[in-house]
Amino acid sequence: MTQTLGVAGTIRARLGECSPAERRVGRALLAAYPTAGLETVATLAERAEVSAPTVLRFLTRLGFGSYPDFQRALRDELTERETSPLSAYSPDEPADGSLARAAAVLPTAVADTLAELPDAEVDRAVRLIADQQLRVTAYGGRFSSLLAEYLVLHLMQIRGNSRMLPTGPVQRVDALVDVGRRDLFVLFDFRRYEQPTLELARAVTQQGARIILCTDRWLSPVAGLATVVLPSRVDSPSLYDSFVPALAVLETLVAGLIDRLGPAVRQRLAAIEAAGQPYL
């Protein structure tokens, strides 16, 4: 499981199997990931307010033979997390064509992503988004903002009360100043994680908002603050990470949302059409 989900993903997936003390270790790791995992056993135990043997029992439950094994896996993962298009570039021409590579890589990446998503996390995300008492705000990074906009365009039609976080400074302050318990943020943050996204997550959770995080299998640092974490593969036929699996996750959420809201969706779409606004 560690190889499939990554260290952070494995921690999150196994928390439900742990004792209360072991869960404190897992939450301490996620809350300050990855820094907390690179500390000594004693320091991590102090951070989690447990004993050192509890830390070691937790790591054994995750499948690590020793603390050095855990830290070695963590460092390997950090190397993967920092991979950039430039470092992945190779001047050698691939033996197979781009179409063949895409056909080989993308369907598997989508299938693995959907298979690895916990049903409970998907259901929880759908329930949160379906709660029309919550205002939904989406935000993404340099590339992942496209995913945020894709989701919001659907939510505008399905349930309303949804928006992108404005980019202008005055508009953004206006959007954030009144954030509270009736706000839900859907954040998109993929490897080479962006500090403004983490700062936003910290600010809105302090104001009482909840977060659904869409990220990769290594998990953005925002995972420690999120109510729901939805990781996806980024396997790609090119040197750039692919958002095709992440898009499949969004399609899954949209389908679940339509199922949950039922006839209300049809009524809203009919009202949109009657207003002369074609829906996507």
Side-chain angles (χ1 to χ4, degrees):
M1 181 179 290
T2 301
Q3 290 181 347
T4 301
L5 297 180
V7 176
T10 301
I11 292 171
R12 191 172 181 92
R14 301 295 292 272
L15 281 180
E17 306 170 12
C18 298
S19 69
E22 291 168 349
R23 281 198 293 272
R24 286 201 294 274
V25 179
R27 292 191 182 109
L29 284 166
L30 292 175
Y33 191 83
T35 306
L38 298 175
E39 298 170 339
T40 65
V41 173
T43 302
L44 177 55
E46 183 178 356
R47 181 190 289 270
E49 298 181 348
V50 299
S51 66
T54 299
V55 172
L56 297 178
R57 282 197 301 272
F58 175 70
L59 296 182
T60 298
R61 189 182 294 276
L62 297 186
F64 295 103
S66 66
Y67 198 67
D69 287 345
F70 166 71
Q71 291 191 318
R72 190 175 304 111
L74 187 60
R75 291 189 182 95
D76 290 344
E77 180 181 281
L78 290 176
T79 300
E80 292 183 45
R81 283 176 53 166
E82 295 303 316
T83 297
S84 68
L86 178 60
S87 62
Y89 173 74
S90 170
D92 299 328
E93 183 177 347
D96 51 353
S98 58
L99 182 59
R101 293 198 307 276
V105 171
L106 295 178
T108 301
V110 170
D112 287 347
T113 292
L114 298 180
E116 292 162 4
L117 281 175
D119 288 340
E121 288 285 89
V122 174
D123 290 344
R124 194 172 187 184
V126 169
R127 287 198 305 271
L128 282 171
I129 299 173
D131 185 348
Q132 292 175 292
Q133 294 186 359
L134 297 178
R135 174 176 54 187
V136 178
T137 303
Y139 175 77
R142 290 181 297 270
F143 285 86
S144 58
S145 60
L146 297 172
L147 294 173
E149 185 172 2
Y150 183 81
L151 177 63
V152 167
L153 287 173
H154 281 80
L155 297 185
M156 285 178 174
Q157 307 222 331
I158 296 170
R159 51 95 74 193
N161 199 20
S162 306
R163 62 185 181 175
M164 288 286 292
L165 184 66
T167 56
V170 175
Q171 296 91 331
R172 178 171 294 204
V173 169
D174 178 66
L176 294 176
V177 69
D178 295 321
V179 165
R181 292 186 176 276
R182 292 193 173 184
D183 281 281
L184 173 66
F185 280 74
V186 184
L187 303 182
F188 296 80
D189 196 27
F190 293 78
R191 67 176 174 181
R192 305 192 79 196
Y193 310 113
E194 299 182 43
Q195 187 65 23
T197 306
L198 179 58
E199 292 171 358
L200 172 66
R202 287 172 175 161
V204 300
T205 51
Q206 287 173 0
Q207 293 172 259
R210 281 167 284 186
I211 293 174
I212 295 173
L213 172 67
C214 296
T215 185
D216 49 46
R217 71 181 184 87
W218 300 279
L219 299 194
S220 155
V222 176
L225 301 168
T227 302
V228 177
V229 178
L230 301 173
S232 59
R233 296 287 187 129
V234 295
D235 308 59
S236 170
S238 76
L239 54 83
Y240 288 97
D241 287 349
S242 173
F243 283 157
V244 169
L247 189 60
V249 173
L250 296 188
E251 296 284 5
T252 301
L253 294 182
V254 168
L257 182 59
I258 292 172
D259 292 343
R260 188 168 185 85
L261 293 179
V265 176
R266 181 180 179 85
Q267 293 168 7
R268 181 171 177 84
L269 292 178
I272 291 172
E273 191 172 67
Q277 298 296 321
Y279 50 90
L280 299 180

